[in-house]
Amino acid sequence: MKKLGEKKWVISLGIAGALLLSACGNKTEATETSKNPDAETVIVGTGNVYQPFVYLDENNELQGYDVEILRAIDEKLDQYNFEYESMDFKNILTSLSAGKVRLAAHQYEQNEERAAKYLYGEVGYTDYTLYIVHDGSNKVEYQSLDDLVGKKVFASPGGNVAYLLEKYNKEHDEKIEVIYNEASSEVFVKGLQNGTADAAILTKYDTNKYNEQFNADLQISGDPVNVSKTYFLYEKGDEELKEAVDGALQELIDDGSLAKLSVEILGDDYTK
């Protein structure tokens, strides 16, 4: 892969070390000095344990698909100089609300609750269509969220899956049992295999990744339960930054650079 920084990054981080690091923010300076000495510094808030999208490598350096996209965008925007602050996922939007960061990047999907609080970019950069997934030994087929009533379903606290399930439960008398989960990927998959949860809601990318990584047999059921893309988030009113980033991102899409990054980092083109 063409390097956008000066180092070659290694995808490796022990879970224990990652969790320890996630307890506090990790400031990472911009990888290159801006050509414009008057460039405005933009602090980007992102995560640190979500491989391969945003994570800290074995050298405690921030890497991932979202980060590489932002580095490519930064190269196109001479008026800005991006710096990165990695933190626990649940603290990113809190930091955006507090004005500690100006841009939030962590595979954020559209939902009404977030849209009421934050400004969404208008150009999406990753397909994030969600499907109901279960272990292959469980001979069922879930066609919709209605089929999950009374079932135990994994969801990450504060994530869009949790939002979808919580919204469903508010609108229906019969409820889905939400099992909030922040465990490692291995524990997550084992939980589906041993019945800790009956199902999860995942993208095709994550489903394929878990099957390959853990030799699992996770199966996708039925039609999508949510069709979306991921977007960068900003403070309300920060239109100038949003429009600049949207414009640079659209250029990466139009010239094929975004699809190339997706293939190189994610293994296929997940931008459509």
Side-chain angles (χ1 to χ4, degrees):
M1 184 179 94
K2 180 180 180 181
K3 296 179 285 184
L4 299 175
E6 296 179 352
K7 298 181 180 179
K8 181 177 181 181
W9 307 106
V10 182
I11 300 177
S12 175
L13 183 66
I15 292 298
L19 293 176
L20 177 62
L21 287 166
S22 68
C24 59
N26 184 74
K27 188 93 171 268
T28 304
E29 297 300 324
T31 56
E32 296 180 1
T33 302
S34 173
K35 296 178 182 178
N36 177 8
D38 298 319
E40 182 179 359
T41 296
V42 173
I43 304 299
V44 176
T46 190
N48 50 29
V49 294
Y50 188 25
Q51 291 194 33
F53 298 99
V54 284
Y55 64 96
L56 295 174
D57 69 9
E58 63 183 9
N59 296 315
N60 201 31
E61 298 284 358
L62 185 62
Q63 288 303 316
Y65 175 67
D66 287 40
V67 178
E68 293 295 340
I69 293 171
L70 285 165
R71 287 174 177 153
I73 289 171
D74 193 15
E75 288 182 358
K76 290 180 173 291
L77 301 179
D78 191 50
Q79 71 271 38
Y80 295 116
N81 192 30
F82 288 0
E83 295 182 1
Y84 304 86
E85 188 165 342
S86 61
M87 61 193 76
D88 188 50
F89 171 72
K90 63 185 178 183
N91 293 329
I92 301 172
L93 294 184
T94 302
S95 296
L96 184 61
S97 297
K100 295 179 180 178
V101 304
R102 282 186 66 186
L103 189 160
H106 200 289
Q107 290 286 295
Y108 287 112
E109 304 162 73
Q110 278 274 7
N111 72 46
E112 295 173 0
E113 186 176 293
R114 286 182 188 150
K117 296 179 180 179
Y118 308 105
L119 177 65
Y120 268 88
E122 295 181 17
V123 180
Y125 61 96
T126 320
D127 176 70
Y128 215 85
T129 301
L130 294 169
Y131 299 83
I132 302 172
V133 173
H134 62 89
D135 183 66
S137 64
N138 185 9
K139 303 301 181 183
V140 297
E141 187 167 332
Y142 301 114
Q143 297 292 339
S144 69
L145 292 180
D146 291 336
D147 294 332
L148 296 178
V149 167
K151 303 296 184 182
K152 296 175 290 185
V153 182
F154 275 145
S156 176
N160 209 48
V161 170
Y163 169 80
L164 290 172
L165 297 177
E166 290 163 359
K167 181 180 179 183
Y168 180 93
N169 283 344
K170 287 179 182 178
E171 296 172 350
H172 296 81
D173 294 330
E174 295 182 308
K175 311 296 183 184
I176 298 169
E177 185 177 350
V178 183
I179 306 297
Y180 294 99
N181 174 73
E182 292 184 287
S184 67
S185 299
E186 183 177 10
V187 173
F188 174 88
V189 172
K190 285 183 177 179
L192 290 173
Q193 293 172 328
N194 64 25
T196 300
D198 299 296
I201 297 178
L202 299 172
T203 63
K204 284 185 177 180
Y205 169 77
D206 281 331
T207 304
N208 293 337
K209 178 184 71 174
Y210 292 146
N211 281 338
E212 181 177 351
Q213 186 174 1
F214 302 108
N215 194 28
D217 183 28
L218 302 184
Q219 300 291 321
I220 287 175
S221 293
D223 295 326
V225 297
N226 192 62
V227 177
S228 180
K229 283 184 172 291
T230 60
Y231 302 85
F232 299 123
L233 270 63
Y234 312 82
E235 291 182 274
K236 289 281 190 180
D238 204 352
E239 296 283 351
E240 185 176 352
L241 176 61
K242 179 195 78 72
E243 290 175 5
V245 172
D246 276 347
L249 179 56
Q250 188 62 55
E251 289 180 16
L252 294 175
I253 293 171
D254 293 342
D255 68 15
S257 297
L258 187 66
K260 182 179 179 182
L261 280 174
S262 178
V263 171
E264 291 176 346
I265 298 174
L266 306 181
D268 205 342
D269 183 2
Y270 291 98
T271 67
K272 300 176 181 179

